[in-house]
Amino acid sequence: MEHYISKDEIQNYFILPQNFDWDLVDQELGFGEIFEIIPIDVYLDLKESELEVEKEICRLLTKAATHYSFVFSIPKIKVHITNYGVQQFTEGKTKSAPWWDVRDLGLSLLKFADKLFSEAITKLSFVEALKQRIPFFENVSGDIKTPDEFEKIYSIKNSPKVFSLLQSFLEQAYALNILDKIQPDCLDQIKTKPNLYKILKQANVYYSLYYASLLPNFVFLQNAVAIQYEELPWQKSQVLSFDEKAMSGKQFLKLGDSTVKVITDYIKTHIDEFPCYSGPIPDRKIQAKASGIYLT
C-alpha cells in the first residue's frame, strides 16, 4: 500500500486517538481521488515548494486526501477478516456505533474533504505556472472554471468530481441555448460588464442542470444536485421519481430562459452600449404590387 505521508504527519491533518491503527486506512484511496484532477508530479512539487501560496495549496490537498482516505476506509475499519469470516470490531464493554451514526460521520467528513479540495482548486486557478500543468483547467468551461464558481450559483456540495462530470452539460448548454439566444458578437461585450456576466453564468448553469436532469444517474436533493458516482455504505440521498425529476428539469429550463431574457432585455434598452446588436431579422419579404409595396 502506497504511503504519501507518514503516520506522524497524518496527525497534523486528521486527529484521532494515539493508539489508532493508521494501517487500516488506505492512503491510495484518498490521494487517488486528488490525483484524478491534480497530477501527482504537481502535488509532489507542491510538497517541496517554499512559496507560501503553494504551501497552503499543498496543505489543503493533503488534508482533503487524508479525509478521503479515512472516509473510503470506514468499511475496512468497521470490520476485520479472520479465518472464521468477517467480524465487527468489539472492544471490551464498548458498543459498535449504529449504521446511521457511521453514515453521518462519513457524510460529514466527505463534505469537508470536498470543501478542502474545492478550495485548493480555486487557489490553483490563480497560480498560472501550476495551472498550465493541470489538464483539468484546459477541459473546464471557459466561464465557470472551478467548483466554487458553480457552487455560488447552485450547490453541488463543493464536489470537484461532480463539477468535472457536469462539464459536458455546461458545454452543451452554452452551444444550444446561450448561443441560440444571444448573438456571439455580443457575448464579448457582456463579459466586460460584471453584472451581466454574472447573469450569463447563472443561465449557463441552469441550462446545464436541465440537460443533466434527463439522465438517470443525477440525484436531486433538497438543496443540491449530485451525480451518484459511487454507492457508499452511508449513502444518504433523496432520489426524486422520474416525473418529479422531469418537473425539476423543466424548472431549470424555465430559470435559464428567464435569466437570458434579463440580458437580452438589457441589450435592447441599451443598444448604444451594444453595437453588436442588430435586432431580429424579419421573416416576411417585401413584395411590390400595382397599388404599392407590401410585406408578405
Side-chain angles (χ1 to χ4, degrees):
M1 182 170 65
E2 187 76 36
H3 288 82
Y4 297 96
I5 53 175
S6 68
K7 292 181 183 179
D8 292 335
E9 288 179 298
I10 286 175
Q11 297 295 330
N12 297 325
Y13 302 101
F14 197 110
I15 299 175
L16 284 174
Q18 289 293 326
N19 60 350
F20 180 79
D21 185 4
W22 273 101
D23 286 334
L24 292 171
V25 174
D26 189 342
Q27 291 189 25
E28 287 188 74
L29 292 174
F31 280 85
E33 193 79 1
I34 298 293
F35 297 152
E36 285 185 12
I37 292 178
I38 310 300
I40 186 171
D41 60 312
V42 172
Y43 173 76
L44 294 176
D45 286 347
L46 286 168
K47 286 190 72 172
E48 301 298 324
S49 177
E50 293 299 324
L51 297 175
E52 287 302 318
V53 64
E54 295 186 2
K55 288 167 67 175
E56 174 61 9
I57 292 170
C58 183
R59 185 191 72 82
L60 290 168
L61 290 174
T62 305
K63 191 163 187 173
T66 305
H67 279 70
Y68 283 134
S69 298
F70 184 84
V71 170
F72 296 148
S73 296
I74 285 179
K76 182 180 177 183
I77 295 169
K78 284 271 302 169
V79 302
H80 65 275
I81 301 172
T82 71
N83 292 336
Y84 306 101
V86 179
Q87 300 173 327
Q88 282 189 328
F89 275 113
T90 56
E91 187 178 341
K93 294 182 179 180
T94 58
K95 180 181 178 182
S96 295
W99 68 267
W100 53 86
D101 283 346
V102 177
R103 175 202 64 190
D104 290 344
L105 172 65
L107 285 171
S108 63
L109 293 177
L110 184 63
K111 180 180 179 181
F112 186 49
D114 280 340
K115 188 174 186 301
L116 291 166
F117 194 10
S118 176
E119 188 177 343
I121 290 172
T122 298
K123 289 183 180 296
L124 277 166
S125 70
F126 293 105
V127 183
E128 197 62 36
L130 290 173
K131 184 179 174 182
Q132 292 177 0
R133 297 172 59 191
I134 301 173
F136 169 84
F137 290 109
E138 297 175 5
N139 301 322
V140 296
S141 163
D143 299 314
I144 304 166
K145 300 179 179 64
T146 65
D148 181 63
E149 287 189 75
F150 199 105
E151 183 76 16
K152 288 176 180 175
I153 299 171
Y154 194 85
S155 178
I156 52 173
K157 299 299 185 185
N158 291 294
S159 171
K161 177 167 282 189
V162 172
F163 178 71
S164 296
L165 293 170
L166 282 167
Q167 291 309 306
S168 62
F169 301 107
L170 284 166
E171 183 179 346
Q172 185 177 12
Y174 197 84
L176 298 181
N177 297 88
I178 302 297
L179 290 178
D180 181 58
K181 296 176 174 60
I182 301 176
Q183 296 173 21
D185 291 346
C186 289
L187 288 172
D188 289 338
Q189 290 173 279
I190 289 171
K191 292 176 182 180
T192 64
K193 301 179 183 298
N195 289 337
L196 282 185
Y197 192 23
K198 180 179 178 181
I199 295 171
L200 180 70
K201 291 181 181 180
Q202 291 172 348
N204 199 14
V205 165
Y206 295 143
Y207 283 132
S208 71
L209 292 172
Y210 161 68
Y211 288 113
S213 72
L214 304 177
L215 295 184
N217 62 328
F218 275 78
V219 178
F220 284 84
L221 312 178
Q222 288 181 335
N223 63 338
V225 60
I227 299 174
Q228 190 166 318
Y229 53 87
E230 57 187 309
E231 186 69 37
L232 300 176
W234 48 84
Q235 192 74 47
K236 180 183 180 183
S237 53
Q238 177 190 351
V239 183
L240 301 185
S241 68
F242 176 81
D243 290 338
E244 289 172 325
K245 198 166 67 162
M247 181 63 68
S248 180
K250 289 178 181 178
Q251 290 301 315
F252 284 125
L253 181 61
K254 186 176 179 180
L255 270 173
D257 287 341
S258 299
T259 307
V260 165
K261 189 175 185 301
V262 172
I263 298 175
T264 54
D265 285 349
Y266 181 90
I267 292 174
K268 291 173 184 177
T269 56
H270 297 79
I271 294 180
D272 56 319
E273 298 178 28
F274 294 89
C276 58
Y277 180 71
S278 58
I281 300 173
D283 294 328
R284 296 178 296 173
K285 297 179 180 179
I286 296 176
Q287 182 175 348
K289 292 188 176 181
S291 57
I293 298 177
Y294 298 87
L295 289 175
T296 59

